[in-house]
Amino acid sequence: MKLGVGKCNGTFGELIQGVIGDSPFLVSLPIEMGSSALFLPNPKSEKISILSLSAKPKSERACQLLLRKYNIQTGGKLLITSDLPEGKGMASSSADLMASLRAVAQTHSLPINESVLSEITSTIEPTDGIMYSELVAYDYINGRLIKVIGQLPRMILLGIDTGGTVESTIFNQIPKNYSTEEKQLFSKALYLLKEGMQKKELSFIFEAVTMSAKINEKRLAKPFFEEIVKIAEENNGGVVIAHSGTVIGILLSPDISKQELRIIIKKVEETTRKKVNIYMVGKD
């Protein structure tokens, strides 16, 4: 046995979240911020102890389930660190779970894959599809892969936190009752997203994410939503949100000039009185 190390990125909400047919699904927007875990095994104990600034009972339970799955009787100490705020829709809990499971798996050289991670985490809570290296349409309630979409092209994200927190587990239990028209829009948004990624046509992506954000506004309204949409449209961007969280942002082309970017940031901050955080998302 050895010291195990695990990492997992968080998200800035979702590019799209809704239903396809009768299946709930989401497509997460990965960011570089995330969670890290270190696991120090203890052959003399079957218990896993969490070392963290806040309680992480979900991570402890997930690791116990993993060890039980492979009939391992050894416990240990799990140190979890994260730069993701909780209750904002940035996958803080999912990232903790993934990082922890990967750390424990490395210690015992366990052959875990995305299916194993989905199997375990879905028994604990609805989770993002961030165990996959590519963007996926993922059934976050049942822990099921629906479709691999591909690699997100490089973009700039200007994000703000509108304030407060949302308990995503509770929110996801509330029936959304999407209309037939809204279900058709989700199918269109997913199509536009995939086409935009394959052709690197950012306007398709911006249309898809804004479409999903507008539908969700009827379920979990965001302060400054209309103002952010207006700023995004004026600058040929798209609006992305945490569908069960508090963050909202504008996706922009990476080719935008520094001067234009400064003007947009100033406009968002003056409009919302919130600090803008800048993220680079996707890959070249």
Side-chain angles (χ1 to χ4, degrees):
M1 290 183 292
K2 57 188 176 183
L3 178 69
V5 180
K7 294 183 178 182
C8 186
N9 64 275
T11 71
F12 192 92
E14 300 78 30
L15 294 161
I16 305 173
Q17 181 171 328
V19 293
I20 291 292
D22 294 325
S23 296
F25 84 102
L26 55 74
V27 182
S28 296
L29 174 54
I31 56 175
E32 292 183 353
M33 295 167 59
S35 298
S36 299
L38 293 174
F39 183 66
L40 180 64
N42 181 2
K44 297 181 180 179
S45 173
E46 296 183 8
K47 178 178 174 56
I48 291 179
S49 301
I50 304 290
L51 304 176
S52 174
L53 294 177
S54 59
K56 305 286 186 181
K58 295 177 183 177
S59 294
E60 177 183 344
R61 183 182 169 201
C63 292
Q64 295 285 11
L65 288 173
L66 177 65
L67 294 176
R68 190 182 306 160
K69 178 179 178 67
Y70 290 96
N71 197 28
I72 296 172
Q73 308 298 323
T74 302
K77 295 185 182 297
L78 187 65
L79 171 63
I80 303 173
T81 57
S82 178
D83 48 12
L84 296 167
E86 297 180 359
K88 303 296 183 180
M90 300 181 73
S92 60
S93 182
S94 295
D96 284 349
L97 289 173
M98 300 302 168
S100 301
L101 288 167
R102 286 169 174 165
V104 172
Q106 187 181 82
T107 288
H108 296 283
S109 299
L110 301 178
I112 62 167
N113 55 24
E114 293 90 348
S115 296
V116 173
L117 292 170
S118 292
E119 174 192 335
I120 292 174
T121 56
S122 63
T123 65
I124 295 173
E125 65 176 4
T127 189
D128 300 76
I130 53 177
M131 68 286 291
Y132 290 89
S133 58
E134 296 181 286
L135 286 194
V136 298
Y138 186 78
D139 180 341
Y140 57 97
I141 298 296
N142 301 300
R144 182 177 64 89
L145 174 66
I146 296 174
K147 180 186 296 185
V148 175
I149 300 175
Q151 185 59 61
L152 191 69
R154 201 72 164 163
M155 291 180 285
I156 296 171
L157 168 62
L158 306 180
I160 65 168
D161 176 14
T162 59
T165 59
V166 175
E167 176 49 65
S168 59
T169 302
I170 296 175
F171 178 77
N172 286 324
Q173 293 174 348
I174 301 172
K176 304 302 184 291
N177 299 320
Y178 296 114
S179 68
T180 300
E181 181 184 1
E182 288 173 331
K183 291 178 180 179
Q184 291 171 346
L185 287 174
F186 284 131
S187 295
K188 180 180 178 181
L190 190 57
Y191 170 79
L192 285 170
L193 178 63
K194 189 164 185 176
E195 284 289 294
M197 289 168 59
Q198 290 178 344
K199 298 177 180 178
K200 294 193 175 180
E201 180 56 67
L202 298 187
S203 64
F204 290 2
I205 296 174
F206 297 155
E207 182 180 353
V209 299
T210 304
M211 195 180 298
S212 183
K214 286 181 176 179
I215 294 173
N216 194 73
E217 184 68 2
K218 301 174 185 178
R219 278 81 191 174
L220 183 61
K222 298 279 190 296
F224 318 114
F225 182 80
E226 295 299 332
E227 294 88 340
I228 294 294
V229 169
K230 183 179 179 181
I231 295 172
E233 290 177 344
E234 290 173 346
N235 293 280
N236 301 312
V239 176
V240 64
I241 62 170
H243 291 69
S244 58
T246 65
V247 295
I248 182 172
I250 299 175
L251 284 175
L252 297 165
S253 166
D255 298 328
I256 192 170
S257 71
K258 291 182 180 179
Q259 181 179 359
E260 288 176 304
L261 193 60
R262 284 194 293 268
I263 292 172
I264 298 170
I265 291 172
K266 183 178 180 182
K267 182 69 177 292
V268 172
E269 291 186 336
E270 288 179 346
T271 300
T272 65
R273 303 296 180 185
K274 302 288 184 180
K275 181 182 182 300
V276 170
N277 294 305
I278 305 173
Y279 309 85
M280 291 302 299
V281 298
K283 295 182 179 180
D284 295 321

